[in-house]
Amino acid sequence: HRAMQFAHSDPQGPVYLTGAREVMEEMAPPVSMDAQYWRPVEAGPLPEEAVAELAAALTKAERPLVVVSYVGRKIGAVSELMRLCERLGVGVLESVPSRMNYPHREAMYQGNHWNHPFQNQALAAADVVLVIDSDVPWIPTISRPRDDAAIFHIDVDPLKESMPLWRINARRSFRAAASAALAQINARIDCDGFDEQAAEARRRFWRVRHDERAKEIAKRERPVDEAISPEFLTACVRRQVGDDAIVLNEGITNYHVICDHMAPSEPGSFFASGRRLAWLERRRGDRHEARRA
């Protein structure tokens, strides 16, 4: 029952149970337990002063950006994120995504970064960066926000207690559930309002970049010299399975290709390796930093 409580509490995931053989071979009387006493531990909302600070930072920013990896594990968080980003003109960048976090076809979507050895341009352009539910939002020696960017962080595990090295220079970090936190920020913006003219300028900026990326993605899907490329093959699969398919991405070296060209747009339709994948990406970054040193 305790293992199930762990598995269903944030951050959710499988639990590995072990036991000594001698103990397991002992006779044990039947045990009856009431499941109501083993309910998942609920993540809390943001404090009100944090809601006001985050809403103000996003509405006043010139190039606000949200970086996510697994916000989409909670369906309600996706709709709240879309509402926030579409009306304020906030770009969305996925870093090592293990869920469908934001519809790829929407104009605020700025692609996904798998810690490739180059600077991500959306990250470099942002003056305010809100990291939500991400174990590896970037590898700072390879790709990072600009030096004067204000970084904020929301996560159910903001300290990343299972990772020995973790830091993103966030001005403020908050332990909260993404769906609740985003709903709070949206509610605050409902009350305070925002500059629609500034929001439209932000939308235009991210929309241009989104459209440029979409053209490049479509270009890569064309067959070259009758060869079947990973991009062409993935696009063929996408057209066959449709939007309501559930995709499990285990493409390893083609993780990013599958993500780009499956282009998931329905919450709950895309899954990758989660924390194991993030751990591998983090190790790649640690090795890069060690080589530089």
Side-chain angles (χ1 to χ4, degrees):
H1 279 73
R2 181 163 165 76
M4 289 295 292
Q5 189 179 35
F6 269 71
H8 287 273
S9 299
D10 283 327
Q12 295 178 351
V15 176
Y16 184 57
L17 291 175
T18 63
R21 181 187 301 174
E22 293 79 9
V23 176
M24 294 299 184
E25 290 178 349
E26 290 293 321
M27 296 296 296
V31 176
S32 178
M33 303 181 78
D34 192 338
Q36 70 172 319
Y37 298 111
W38 299 91
R39 291 177 179 173
V41 177
E42 297 292 336
L46 289 170
E48 283 305 313
E49 53 91 13
V51 176
E53 182 176 4
L54 291 170
L58 291 170
T59 54
K60 295 176 181 178
E62 183 180 5
R63 298 285 181 261
L65 180 73
V66 173
V67 179
V68 295
S69 296
Y70 45 85
V71 160
R73 63 186 177 178
K74 298 294 178 66
I75 301 299
V78 176
S79 58
E80 292 290 350
L81 181 62
M82 290 179 64
R83 182 170 178 244
L84 175 69
C85 294
E86 288 173 3
R87 62 176 175 163
L88 287 188
V90 180
V92 178
L93 173 65
E94 293 183 298
S95 179
V96 196
S98 58
R99 297 290 191 276
M100 198 302 292
N101 300 294
Y102 202 90
H104 285 218
R105 63 171 67 101
E106 298 297 329
M108 294 302 100
Y109 183 73
Q110 301 300 306
N112 49 89
H113 194 82
W114 297 77
N115 296 316
H116 298 105
F118 54 80
Q119 173 67 52
N120 182 275
Q121 293 306 306
L123 200 59
D127 58 344
V128 170
V129 180
L130 176 57
V131 178
I132 310 178
D133 285 356
S134 179
D135 289 335
V136 185
W138 52 77
I139 299 293
T141 55
I142 304 171
S143 177
R144 59 181 296 161
R146 68 195 210 193
D147 291 340
D148 64 341
I151 302 171
F152 300 91
H153 181 213
I154 299 172
D155 202 298
V156 292
D157 179 22
L159 296 177
K160 306 300 176 186
E161 296 171 15
S162 64
M163 297 182 182
L165 296 174
W166 200 91
R167 183 167 177 252
I168 60 171
N169 287 344
R171 294 188 181 185
R172 300 288 303 276
S173 291
F174 305 100
R175 189 185 299 272
S179 53
L182 288 165
Q184 288 177 278
I185 297 171
N186 277 323
R188 180 69 185 230
I189 293 170
D190 288 340
C191 294
D192 295 348
F194 59 94
D195 185 337
E196 174 59 36
Q197 187 174 357
E200 179 56 29
R202 293 191 291 264
R203 290 188 208 106
R204 284 197 301 268
F205 176 82
W206 294 121
R207 190 182 300 121
V208 168
R209 293 194 168 206
H210 171 87
D211 292 345
E212 290 173 350
R213 176 181 178 275
K215 291 177 182 177
E216 179 62 28
I217 293 291
K219 183 179 178 181
R220 293 179 200 160
E221 293 178 354
R222 299 170 189 161
V224 178
D225 298 328
E226 299 184 354
I228 300 177
S229 67
E231 293 82 0
F232 172 72
L233 177 60
T234 307
C236 291
V237 173
R238 181 192 70 235
R239 288 190 285 267
Q240 289 297 315
V241 301
D243 287 342
D244 58 347
I246 294 176
V247 177
L248 309 179
N249 185 0
E250 284 290 353
I252 313 299
T253 55
N254 282 305
Y255 271 126
H256 62 291
V257 172
I258 295 170
C259 191
D260 278 340
H261 298 276
M262 287 305 299
S265 291
E266 293 296 325
S269 66
F270 181 86
F271 298 85
S273 301
R275 283 207 160 194
R276 170 66 178 172
L277 177 58
W279 178 79
L280 289 171
E281 291 294 325
R282 191 75 203 179
R283 281 197 64 190
R284 181 189 300 174
D286 290 343
R287 288 196 299 269
H288 181 83
E289 291 182 20
R291 285 196 298 269
R292 286 192 58 180

